[in-house]
Amino acid sequence: MTRHVDLRSDTVTQPTPEMREAMARAVVGDDGYGEDPTVRELEERFAALMGKEAAIFVPSGVMANQIALRVLTRPGDVVVAGRHQHVVSFELGATARNSSLQFALVDDSSGELVREEVMDLIDASADHQVPVAMITVENSHMFSGGTVWDPDRFAALARAVGDRPIHLDGARLFNAATASGRPPSELAAPATTVMACLSKGLCAPVGSLLAGPTSLMATGRIERKRLGGAMRQAGVLAAAGLVALDTMVGRLAQDHRRARTLAEMLARAFPESNYDPATCVTNIVSFDHPQARQIAHELTERGVWCATVAPRRVRLVTHAGIDDADLEFVGEVLVSFTPAASTR
Ligand SMILES: *Cc1c(COP(=O)(O)O)cnc(C)c1O
């Protein structure tokens, strides 16, 4: 096979040898009875890292988001979210299908929700519009290019929405914490519930966690079962998750440094995109281009595997499987690259 560099997503990462050893050695039990000590350890460790009372281990980030929305709402409720958030655009309508919820969408092109828009939606209940039950945000925000919320603006939003709960989709919260130099517990403090993925930059094979107040996490266990996500000897997976938290957070800064280098190369290769590489602060490079599909297709054919996340938006993601030599290869491909003319 010709050489290739896989920049499609940080979900392509492989478990480390240490994870595989921990999985083989894991002490397990039936988590349906709450008897898997390794799962319990992971849940307690995560809850502490997030500064929350309790946590639940779930098979995927989507399920963590779906459980959070279910425990914080009732059918028919309205949830305020950013237009491009994962829970809105990349979960195949799960929120409508699972929980009979309706989104009220606000601008999130910067990665943050525009506070005035959120407050207008809340205020509109005085005009016979449906009351807002909760708000959900994403940090880092995938679509905008892995941008990170300003912690003070997030805290200010939480104060402004009063006692309405906030769910934080922190699939890449450890990236956000690395980039902002603040602990994850501080970034999650304004949120009632927070989820993070172990299976992206942290390289665990499977698993995400949802953290929040003990009472909500108890209801969350019921909802996890209803969604088919209760697992049995899941300690085999949790063991890899513990290694992920212990050994993989510290290296995320390397992914961020490489993403910035990549961002600079792409901004030079596609000046017509007006992409500003300074907006790349974590591990995602994402920019608009009229020929996005063509670019992704042709780069992939030349060994630089990447993808589009919208009709005119290209995305590349760095992760533990990418090293400096891979970036040199991307640079060589870009030097001679002009996408064939296309209208899309
Ligand atoms: C990947 C991702 C999810 C979902 O995680 P899965 O484990 O793939 O289900 C949720 N939110 C964001 C922002 C993500 O990037």
Side-chain angles (χ1 to χ4, degrees), residues 67-136:
I67 292 172
L69 295 187
R70 285 177 81 129
V71 300
L72 293 170
T73 60
R74 301 171 63 180
D77 276 349
V78 163
V79 178
V80 169
R83 194 158 284 128
H84 298 107
Q85 278 178 218
H86 197 279
V87 72
V88 172
S89 299
F90 296 93
E91 297 184 9
L92 308 184
T95 309
R97 178 83 179 191
N98 294 324
S99 309
S100 302
L101 296 170
Q102 177 172 313
F103 283 118
L105 302 178
V106 304
D107 179 25
D108 62 348
S109 40
S110 73
E112 298 186 3
L113 304 192
V114 176
R115 188 162 86 231
E116 293 68 31
E117 284 191 40
V118 176
M119 297 320 289
D120 270 357
L121 284 169
I122 289 174
D123 197 24
S125 68
D127 308 307
H128 310 286
Q129 295 193 25
V130 61
V132 168
M134 65 170 286
I135 295 93
T136 174

Side-chain angles (χ1 to χ4, degrees), residues 12-32:
V12 303
T13 45
Q14 296 273 323
T16 63
E18 197 182 342
M19 286 179 196
R20 291 179 185 269
E21 275 166 36
M23 293 173 81
R25 279 196 319 268
V27 181
V28 297
D30 187 341
D31 190 47

Side-chain angles (χ1 to χ4, degrees), residues 123-189:
D123 197 24
S125 68
D127 308 307
H128 310 286
Q129 295 193 25
V130 61
V132 168
M134 65 170 286
I135 295 93
T136 174
V137 305
E138 198 175 295
N139 193 19
S140 67
H141 185 268
M142 184 277 283
F143 195 89
S144 59
T147 55
V148 171
W149 269 81
D150 174 87
D152 298 329
R153 274 199 295 274
F154 185 33
L157 174 76
R159 280 194 301 276
V161 303
D163 54 12
R164 285 172 192 80
I166 297 181
H167 169 62
L168 169 57
D169 176 344
R172 297 187 182 83
L173 190 69
F174 291 100
N175 295 87
T178 300
S180 56
R182 312 262 187 119
S185 57
E186 189 182 326
L187 301 188

